[in-house]
Amino acid sequence: MKSPSMPPVLQAVGLACVPLADMPPGTALARKPVAAAVITLVARNDGHRDVVIKTMSDARPFEWPLPALIDDALVAGAPTVITEADCDVLSVETASRRFFVEPALAALANWEEMIDPVRMFGVGDGYDEAALSRRLDIPVATVTDDDVARCWDANAPQAAESIALANAVSRLTLWAHGAAFQRAAPDPMFETLLPLRERLMEIEPTYPELKAVLASRPYHWVASFAGLYRDYRARCDAGDTDARWVTFEDGTSYV
């Protein structure tokens, strides 16, 4: 199944940050990322998508700075789902390290292939990513930077990495909703959430924070309609110009 509505490679970035007390509050300068997660969806030749999840932390800042680890995890030139606020945080952190060799992060800072999933809904300035996610029944981690600071331990970084991963998952799920709406097609929802759901089920014992995601309405919804979607996509791939996705009434009848 090859969907024209999906890029061959799509990635999402989530961060876990701690506050910096000597910086202006409420700005990118007042946040320091200590952990990150990068989720990458890669289309195979048969149209199916592999999901690669990488988590990383600032546990060894002088050996492997976090910006360098994130840059290595990103696929150059691929669309990247990240909010403008978190991109600003990464830009400041990368520049403060004085490495100057992170081309993927530099491209994000210049809005190249960057997708802010919140702005897909046209809510403009002053948006609230967490509130929008809750409005769409997308689980979002209600974890503040102060909470991250309390759990952050360079010798045991998994708690912070779990928070970053949960943020990346909710952000990618938010993108799938926005892309399906903008394209008026089911492909972004199913081609993103179905393979992501399978991968999350594999790693959920290690990251128990993901249990709420797997139990949420969007993931139950795509699992329930997976058979209908695969039939629809197979007909489209076979050249059936009359194939169409179910209407609201069809879906209600099916349920």
Side-chain angles (χ1 to χ4, degrees), residues 36-99:
V38 178
I39 302 175
T40 307
L41 276 73
V42 182
R44 303 198 304 253
N45 292 334
D46 60 2
H48 293 280
R49 285 172 169 76
D50 292 324
V51 179
V52 179
I53 295 178
K54 296 181 180 179
T55 58
M56 57 219 72
S57 67
D58 218 10
R60 298 183 299 168
F62 298 106
E63 297 179 51
W64 301 104
L66 187 61
L69 295 174
I70 297 174
D71 194 82
D72 288 342
L74 293 174
V75 178
T80 305
V81 180
I82 183 174
T83 61
E84 181 181 355
D86 275 6
C87 188
D88 290 345
V89 169
L90 280 180
S91 298
V92 172
E93 180 69 8
T94 305
S96 71
R97 301 291 189 148
R98 297 180 177 84
F99 265 59

Side-chain angles (χ1 to χ4, degrees), residues 187-201:
D187 306 41
M189 281 286 287
F190 286 91
E191 299 290 345
T192 302
L193 267 57
L194 282 177
L196 182 58
R197 178 177 179 269
E198 293 180 5
R199 186 72 181 97
L200 295 181
M201 290 175 68

Side-chain angles (χ1 to χ4, degrees), residues 30-236:
R31 307 182 69 212
K32 175 181 174 59
V34 294
V38 178
I39 302 175
T40 307
L41 276 73
V42 182
R44 303 198 304 253
N45 292 334
D46 60 2
H48 293 280
R49 285 172 169 76
D50 292 324
V51 179
V52 179
I53 295 178
K54 296 181 180 179
T55 58
M56 57 219 72
S57 67
D58 218 10
R60 298 183 299 168
F62 298 106
E63 297 179 51
W64 301 104
L66 187 61
L69 295 174
I70 297 174
D71 194 82
D72 288 342
L74 293 174
V75 178
T80 305
V81 180
I82 183 174
T83 61
E84 181 181 355
D86 275 6
C87 188
D88 290 345
V89 169
L90 280 180
S91 298
V92 172
E93 180 69 8
T94 305
S96 71
R97 301 291 189 148
R98 297 180 177 84
F99 265 59
F100 305 118
V101 289
E102 289 81 19
L105 293 181
L108 282 183
N110 288 311
W111 287 75
E112 297 175 18
E113 300 295 343
M114 172 187 160
I115 304 173
D116 187 328
V118 181
R119 292 187 180 274
M120 297 176 74
F121 295 85
V123 293
D125 294 330
Y127 60 79
D128 186 332
E129 179 185 9
L132 178 58
S133 296
R134 289 194 298 269
R135 179 66 178 82
L136 299 176
D137 290 323
I138 300 171
V140 59
T142 55
V143 180
T144 66
D145 291 351
D146 290 329
D147 295 330
V148 176
R150 282 190 286 270
C151 75
W152 167 243
D153 183 350
N155 296 315
Q158 183 171 331
E161 291 177 0
S162 297
I163 294 170
L165 177 57
N167 287 334
V169 169
S170 64
R171 195 161 286 170
L172 189 56
T173 307
L174 185 59
W175 174 87
H177 282 70
F181 166 69
Q182 289 183 340
R183 294 163 175 74
D187 306 41
M189 281 286 287
F190 286 91
E191 299 290 345
T192 302
L193 267 57
L194 282 177
L196 182 58
R197 178 177 179 269
E198 293 180 5
R199 186 72 181 97
L200 295 181
M201 290 175 68
E202 294 175 359
I203 65 173
E204 186 264 330
T206 305
Y207 299 96
E209 295 83 359
L210 300 175
K211 185 172 296 184
V213 175
L214 293 170
S216 65
R217 186 175 73 169
Y219 286 85
H220 276 307
W221 189 85
V222 295
S224 298
F225 285 86
L228 283 177
Y229 173 74
R230 291 191 179 100
D231 178 67
Y232 158 79
R233 191 70 254 158
R235 291 173 61 189
C236 290

